[in-house]
Amino acid sequence: MGNSEQTLTHELTLDRDCTTLSRHVLQQTVKTLHASSLLSPEAQDISAIMNRIALAGKLIAKRLSRAGLMADALGFTGETNVQGESVKRMDLYANEVFISVFKQSGLVCRLASEEMEDPYYIPENCPIGRYTLLYDPIDGSSNVDINLNVGSIFSIRQQEGEDLDGKAQDLLQDGHKQLAAGYILYGPSTVLVYSVGNGVHSFILDPSLGEFILAEENIKIPEHGPVYSVNEGNFWQWEESIRDYNRYVHRHEGYTARYSGALVGDFHRILLQGGVFLYPGTVKKPEGKLRLLYETAPLAFLMEQAGGRASTGREDILDFVPQKLHQRTPLIIGSTEDVSLVESFIQDRAKREETEPIAVQ
Ligand code: AHM
Ligand code: MG
């Protein structure tokens, strides 16, 4: 490599390293809002909120990396959350980290999470920061105790109305209302992926700098991929249409199964390489397991921004209006062709059942 090429490479690396997450979010939000300057108050707010989310991610990543060495970091608390699931110590820690980083920030008035029955209000922020953060603090927490990847999922919405009764009814709206969404994947490295409605971008945490460094801009999912990601242990509990799809991928060349038990990790693989993730309804959980406001809607927002699709099987996830805060939805998410293939099995069965009732096998 000649001297001038070397200088150019250094400059490009330096430019990338100096693209901080907050600067990037600011620029992207200004583009989405068609604002005239970087001083746009909403863009500044979203950028500042994302900076706090990144701080939460760094704190959680740090604790996860040392969890096996610390007393009281792993295992269960003995409590059950609003979903009826056993709470892990890490769930609780991560939930509190998100609350702590937004206290006295002046940015977020309410936080709603998988771990809290009702939203958490920070009244001193409310006069200035009319944003709500919705989040799953540790997604895939069964992976924590065995040292496998987990994630955090987040979504930012603007508060509408005064919410005087403290019931956060304005959150019961479709996913198009999201201002921003993303996740942090705690794997071999810590990756933050986000969108403010102008493409999907990823950052990797450089532990030596303590900063998220730009990794990839405008990620696009392939139109088709070989991976199908679903918990096949639920086969006996699925509707016949999902079994039809499952039998199809078993009997055709070109498909491969991947399922990690942590949605964020499985989603990340599919985002980068194509394919489809499914969590359909089951006999025990007819609406599926995953929650709309802080799991399926934020990931649907990202997936559509990356050129993919997200569906309940009957409608787009982003069009689905929840009836309650912890609403669950079936999820079929990934490459356009693969999501459409799953939907085609659902439509076929529906048509056949209209004409000839089918006995459940
Ligand atoms: P969690 O947020 O309580 O951890 O639950 C969500 C997780 C997803 O990450 C994962 O895809 C799914 O639950 C796994 O569930 P199952 O064990 O039923 O396949
Ligand atoms: Mg989850």
Side-chain angles (χ1 to χ4, degrees):
M1 197 187 287
N3 271 352
S4 57
E5 273 175 76
Q6 240 167 10
T7 314
L8 187 64
T9 311
H10 281 312
E11 271 177 24
L12 288 175
T13 311
L14 254 181
D15 276 355
R16 203 200 56 185
D17 287 357
C18 292
T19 304
T20 60
L21 178 66
S22 50
R23 200 208 286 181
H24 196 267
V25 176
L26 187 60
Q27 288 165 348
Q28 294 298 321
T29 315
V30 163
K31 280 189 203 159
T32 309
L33 297 173
H34 304 293
S36 52
S37 94
L38 293 180
L39 297 175
S40 146
E42 185 174 333
Q44 299 259 355
D45 285 350
I46 301 292
S47 161
I49 292 172
M50 202 70 82
N51 220 13
R52 298 279 169 149
I53 292 170
L55 173 60
K58 289 179 213 172
L59 288 163
I60 295 167
K62 183 176 159 207
R63 189 161 180 105
L64 283 169
S65 69
R66 303 188 59 240
L69 302 169
M70 297 164 72
D72 297 336
L74 297 177
F76 294 92
T77 63
E79 287 157 25
T80 306
N81 70 10
V82 59
Q83 328 286 342
E85 294 156 355
S86 301
V87 177
K88 298 221 151 200
R89 290 195 175 98
M90 198 59 78
D91 288 322
L92 219 57
Y93 171 80
N95 191 54
E96 281 165 12
V97 164
F98 275 95
I99 294 173
S100 295
V101 298
F102 282 105
K103 277 188 184 157
Q104 293 159 6
S105 65
L107 291 165
V108 162
C109 168
R110 304 177 302 200
L111 295 100
S113 106
E114 179 178 325
E115 300 304 330
M116 301 186 289
E117 186 155 6
D118 298 312
Y120 183 101
Y121 288 80
I122 310 177
E124 64 269 27
N125 288 351
C126 297
I128 27 179
R130 291 179 52 81
Y131 298 95
T132 300
L133 182 80
L134 297 120
Y135 64 110
D136 180 358
I138 298 283
D139 172 68
S141 50
S142 76
N143 278 8
V144 169
D145 290 350
I146 49 164
N147 195 29
L148 291 184
N149 69 272
V150 290
S152 301
I153 308 174
F154 58 87
S155 164
I156 304 168
R157 292 184 185 229
Q158 183 108 47
Q159 183 174 325
E160 290 183 10
E162 290 307 315
D163 190 13
L164 293 174
D165 60 3
K167 294 209 161 98
Q169 289 293 312
D170 61 294
L171 290 176
L172 305 183
Q173 296 196 60
D174 65 51
H176 299 286
K177 289 278 179 182
Q178 295 173 102
L179 299 174
Y183 58 83
I184 303 160
L185 170 61
Y186 310 101
S189 44
T190 300
V191 180
L192 189 152
V193 176
Y194 86 93
S195 177
V196 289
N198 190 45
V200 178
H201 318 288
S202 69
F203 284 71
I204 298 179
L205 181 62
D206 181 337
S208 65
L209 290 172
E211 280 285 351
F212 280 98
I213 303 300
L214 181 62
E216 195 176 342
E217 285 183 301
N218 295 312
I219 298 170
K220 289 289 171 209
I221 182 171
E223 282 173 17
H224 164 70
V227 169
Y228 72 96
S229 185
V230 63
N231 184 346
E232 293 185 307
N234 287 330
F235 187 93
W236 68 276
Q237 299 202 65
W238 291 337
E239 282 180 7
E240 210 44 40
S241 56
I242 301 298
R243 294 187 201 178
D244 289 340
Y245 166 75
N246 198 240
R247 284 188 278 257
Y248 178 90
V249 294
H250 284 179
R251 291 168 189 176
H252 287 79
E253 193 182 348
Y255 291 97
T256 188
R258 293 286 184 275
Y259 192 75
S260 75
L263 170 62
V264 168
D266 291 327
F267 178 93
H268 194 65
R269 178 199 298 276
I270 286 166
L271 178 69
L272 300 184
Q273 299 176 350
V276 63
F277 175 96
L278 298 88
Y279 208 114
T282 60
V283 169
K284 290 188 183 165
K285 293 186 174 123
E287 295 169 318
K289 180 181 181 190
L290 302 169
R291 278 63 43 129
L292 180 76
L293 286 168
Y294 42 80
E295 290 181 321
T296 63
L299 296 183
F301 187 83
L302 292 171
M303 190 50 86
E304 289 206 0
Q305 283 294 316
R309 287 199 51 221
S311 163
T312 64
R314 286 169 178 89
E315 67 182 309
D316 284 349
I317 292 277
L318 290 183
D319 291 337
F320 190 100
V321 179
Q323 288 172 343
K324 53 185 183 199
L325 189 61
H326 299 286
Q327 174 89 49
R328 297 175 195 262
T329 54
L331 177 67
I332 302 159
I333 193 165
S335 299
T336 48
E337 282 181 19
D338 299 292
V339 172
S340 298
L341 179 65
V342 181
E343 285 176 330
S344 70
F345 284 98
I346 295 172
Q347 286 151 9
D348 280 359
R349 271 285 163 180
K351 269 188 220 145
R352 283 164 59 188
E353 280 171 12
E354 266 172 31
T355 48
E356 38 168 294
I358 293 163
V360 177
Q361 288 168 19

